[in-house]
């Protein structure tokens, strides 16, 4: 059997063995639904968690604040002229608001709320806002300036800016919040795939080594071809899954986002309008998702070769957990740096860590939504390809020695020594 035929058989076996599993099919379909559910969930929770109507008895010693409290939403105020004990005995009241005589001049310590059971945060905030508005209005009247409240409201302003990039051939509107969220999302997707499928390579090698399957296979296949076949086969599973998601996201960008753009165009929310417009741009989404696939392939090949070397050097998962530090430390470092990069995408830290192969896949994906210069992701990919070729070469040297080693957990120094064997 030729080396090419053997490699093709190993890749096919690793690929079809996994894509035919129900767990793969279910996760591929459910994950996009879960992501959409996470976006819809906050709105549903807000609707379902709407507080029940609360009747609040108001004992007002100032006699001027209670008339200014307005019934709205789920809170209704009812003036009560009797004592606090009488109000407590009246189970019709869900809460009792006691306003002391000095509430206007010194609210702290002069106002108390008594409730039956734990009050909702929304109810407390609404009562507090009503009291704040009433007390501030009474204080304004003491200045005896006509229309002072109206004047103060008119001078207040909320500024919303349209942000445009002028470092491109054409000015384009941007949304920093969208870039931040998108950068975090694609970075976490990359982190999840590299970690999940890299460890899958390691686990598969350890299982086959324990079953003595590798000893039979290497009699007809070179160890290097066996390692590459396993890495590429499992990698194709990851690419298949991510491509399904990419197609779904592009479909949403082409068909769903234009509908949302029409719905939000009549609103005054500049940030939301910019975000929907950007997500509805197929060329922008294709660029982001295209780079996601490329950095996924590069990052996976880089780290899966490390995991393959670790899997070949140990006999069980417990021994592998300690050697995994070699791979886990740079992955976690990339995750931590990426969280900083999304706030400062053009910093020196962001630039250099997006070029180093150990951290570049996740850091560069966190930066890409911010519209960085086109040469940077290209250079980053070239350096990543060079790095993964070196890493695969080193891992293959460890793999060909490690698969025949049993009963002893090697140290990192021994793994380095194995790379020098001819």
């Amino acid at each position: 059997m030729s080396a090419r035929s053997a490699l093709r058989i190993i890749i096919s076996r690793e690929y079809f063995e996994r894509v035919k599993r129900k767990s793969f099919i279910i996760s591929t379909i459910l994950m996009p639904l879960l992501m959409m559910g996470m976006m819809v969930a906050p709105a549903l929770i807000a609707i379902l968690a709407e507080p029940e109507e609360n009747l609040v008895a108001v004992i007002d010693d100032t006699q001027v604040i209670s008339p200014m409290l307005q019934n709205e939403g789920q809170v209704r105020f009812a003036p009560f002229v009797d004592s606090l004990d009488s109000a407590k005995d009246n189970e019709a009241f869900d809460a009792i608001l006691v306003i002391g005589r000095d509430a206007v001049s010194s609210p702290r310590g002069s106002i108390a709320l008594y409730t039956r059971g734990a009050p909702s945060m929304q109810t407390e905030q609404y009562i507090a806002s009503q009291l704040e508005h009433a007390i501030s209005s009474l204080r304004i009247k003491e200045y005896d300036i006509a229309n002072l409240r109206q004047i103060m409201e008119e001078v207040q302003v909320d500024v919303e800016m349209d942000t445009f990039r002028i470092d491109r051939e054409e000015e384009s509107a941007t949304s920093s919040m969208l870039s931040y969220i998108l950068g975090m999302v694609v970075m976490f997707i990359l982190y999840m795939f590299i970690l999940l499928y890299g460890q899958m390579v390691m686990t598969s090698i350890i299982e086959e080594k324990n079953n003595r399957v590798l000893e039979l296979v290497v009699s007809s296949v070179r160890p290097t071809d066996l390692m590459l076949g396993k890495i590429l086969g499992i990698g194709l599973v990851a690419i298949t899954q991510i491509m399904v998601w990419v197609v779904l996201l592009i479909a949403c960008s082409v068909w769903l986002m234009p509908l949302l753009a029409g719905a939000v165009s009549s609103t005054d929310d500049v940030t939301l309008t910019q975000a929907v417009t950007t997500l509805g741009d197929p060329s922008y989404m294709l660029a982001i998702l295209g780079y996601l696939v490329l950095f996924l392939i590069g990052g996976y090949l880089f780290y899966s070769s490390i995991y393959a070397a670790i899997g070949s050097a140990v006999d069980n998962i417990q021994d592998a957990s300690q050697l995994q530090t070699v791979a886990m430390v740079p992955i976690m470092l990339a995750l931590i740096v990426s969280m900083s990069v999304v706030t400062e995408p053009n910093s020196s830290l962001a630039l250099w860590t997006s070029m180093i192969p150990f951290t570049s896949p996740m850091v560069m994906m966190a930066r890409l939504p911010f519209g960085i210069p086109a040469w940077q992701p290209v250079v980053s990919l070239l350096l990543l390809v060079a790095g993964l070729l070196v890493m695969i070469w080193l891992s293959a040297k460890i793999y060909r020695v490690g698969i025949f080693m049993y009963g002893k957990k090697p140290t990192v120094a021994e793994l380095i020594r194995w790379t020098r064997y001819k």
Side-chain angles (χ1 to χ4, degrees):
M1 182 187 298
S2 65
R4 182 174 297 180
S5 298
L7 182 62
R8 185 166 55 249
I9 292 173
I10 296 169
I11 292 174
S12 299
R13 174 187 175 277
E14 295 293 336
Y15 177 76
F16 288 108
E17 180 186 352
R18 286 168 174 80
V19 296
K20 291 180 180 179
R21 293 176 181 174
K22 291 182 179 179
S23 59
F24 173 82
I25 298 172
I26 293 173
S27 63
T28 302
I29 296 173
L30 287 184
M31 187 58 71
L33 298 177
L34 180 61
M35 293 176 67
M36 288 187 287
M38 290 175 64
M39 292 186 289
V40 175
L44 292 176
I45 292 173
I47 294 173
L48 297 175
E50 188 171 328
E52 298 179 355
E53 184 175 288
N54 290 280
L55 180 61
V56 181
V58 182
I59 302 176
D60 184 10
D61 292 339
T62 67
Q63 302 297 319
V64 292
I65 294 180
S66 58
M68 302 177 68
L69 302 178
Q70 298 180 1
N71 299 329
E72 188 173 317
Q74 304 300 318
V75 178
R76 293 192 299 113
F77 296 101
F80 192 77
V81 296
D82 212 334
S83 65
L84 174 60
D85 290 335
S86 298
K88 290 179 179 179
D89 293 335
N90 190 337
E91 295 185 359
F93 297 127
D94 299 295
I96 306 162
L97 178 62
V98 179
I99 304 174
R101 192 179 305 276
D102 300 325
V104 176
S105 60
S106 180
R108 184 181 295 275
S110 300
I111 301 175
L113 180 67
Y114 300 85
T115 64
R116 300 185 193 279
S120 69
M121 184 180 296
Q122 185 176 347
T123 299
E124 282 193 4
Q125 289 176 345
Y126 178 75
I127 295 173
S129 67
Q130 285 290 304
L131 290 169
E132 290 170 0
H133 185 273
I135 293 172
S136 63
S137 297
L138 292 170
R139 288 183 174 182
I140 288 172
K141 287 182 180 180
E142 293 178 356
Y143 287 93
D144 197 22
I145 300 176
N147 300 323
L148 180 57
R149 164 67 73 178
Q150 181 180 351
I151 294 171
M152 293 178 64
E153 292 177 352
E154 289 177 353
V155 298
Q156 291 180 350
V157 61
D158 293 326
V159 177
E160 292 185 355
M161 298 185 297
D162 289 322
T163 306
F164 296 91
R165 294 287 297 269
I166 61 174
D167 56 341
R168 300 176 178 174
E169 294 182 2
E170 296 181 0
E171 289 187 357
S172 57
T174 65
S175 171
S176 297
M177 182 56 67
L178 172 65
S179 299
Y180 177 90
I181 295 173
L182 195 56
M184 291 292 288
V185 169
V186 293
M187 181 270 293
F188 270 111
I189 289 175
L190 207 59
Y191 167 78
M192 179 182 66
F193 269 76
I194 290 175
L195 199 62
L196 175 64
Y197 285 96
Q199 291 182 340
M200 189 181 295
V201 171
M202 180 188 70
T203 304
S204 177
I205 291 173
I206 293 174
E207 290 176 353
E208 291 181 355
K209 186 177 178 180
N210 285 332
N211 296 333
R212 305 286 177 166
V213 173
L214 291 180
E215 293 181 0
L216 299 175
V217 177
V218 295
S219 62
S220 57
V221 180
R222 293 186 306 173
T224 301
D225 293 335
L226 181 60
M227 186 192 79
L228 286 176
K230 188 170 290 291
I231 290 174
L232 294 176
I234 296 177
L236 285 176
V237 177
I239 294 172
T240 301
Q241 193 167 54
I242 199 68
M243 288 305 298
V244 172
W245 297 359
V246 166
V247 171
L248 291 175
L249 289 173
I250 292 297
C252 289
S253 177
V254 173
W255 289 300
L256 180 60
M257 287 302 164
L259 298 176
L260 292 177
V264 302
S265 60
S266 58
T267 68
D268 297 328
D269 194 328
V270 176
T271 302
L272 179 60
T273 302
Q274 288 181 346
V276 172
T277 302
T278 303
L279 292 175
D281 182 0
S283 60
Y284 174 81
M285 294 300 296
L286 275 173
I288 295 293
L289 295 174
Y291 275 119
L292 174 62
V293 173
L294 291 176
F295 277 104
L296 170 64
I297 294 172
Y300 164 78
L301 290 176
F302 185 88
Y303 277 103
S304 63
S305 60
I306 298 177
Y307 278 112
I310 295 172
S312 68
V314 298
D315 298 334
N316 53 69
I317 297 296
Q318 289 73 24
D319 291 342
S321 61
Q322 297 181 13
L323 289 177
Q324 279 190 79
T325 306
V326 177
M328 287 296 298
V329 168
I331 291 177
M332 295 304 299
L333 178 62
L335 180 66
I336 294 169
V337 171
S338 297
M339 293 180 179
S340 171
V341 161
V342 289
T343 59
E344 290 291 342
N346 296 311
S347 65
S348 298
L349 175 67
L351 175 62
W352 290 110
T353 53
S354 64
M355 297 297 169
I356 302 172
F358 281 97
T359 56
S360 62
M362 283 181 283
V363 177
M364 183 56 76
M365 284 310 306
R367 296 181 64 210
L368 275 171
F370 291 90
I372 60 177
W375 65 267
Q376 293 185 11
V378 174
V379 172
S380 179
L381 278 171
L382 292 175
L383 293 174
L384 180 59
V385 170
L388 70 88
L389 290 176
V390 172
M391 191 59 66
I392 289 174
W393 177 71
L394 292 173
S395 297
K397 284 180 167 290
I398 296 174
Y399 185 89
R400 67 180 184 177
V401 176
I403 56 175
F404 297 109
M405 295 291 183
Y406 292 92
K408 179 185 176 183
K409 182 180 67 175
T411 63
V412 175
E414 287 177 310
L415 294 180
I416 295 175
R417 189 164 57 251
W418 290 357
T419 63
R420 300 172 183 169
Y421 292 169
K422 294 183 180 180

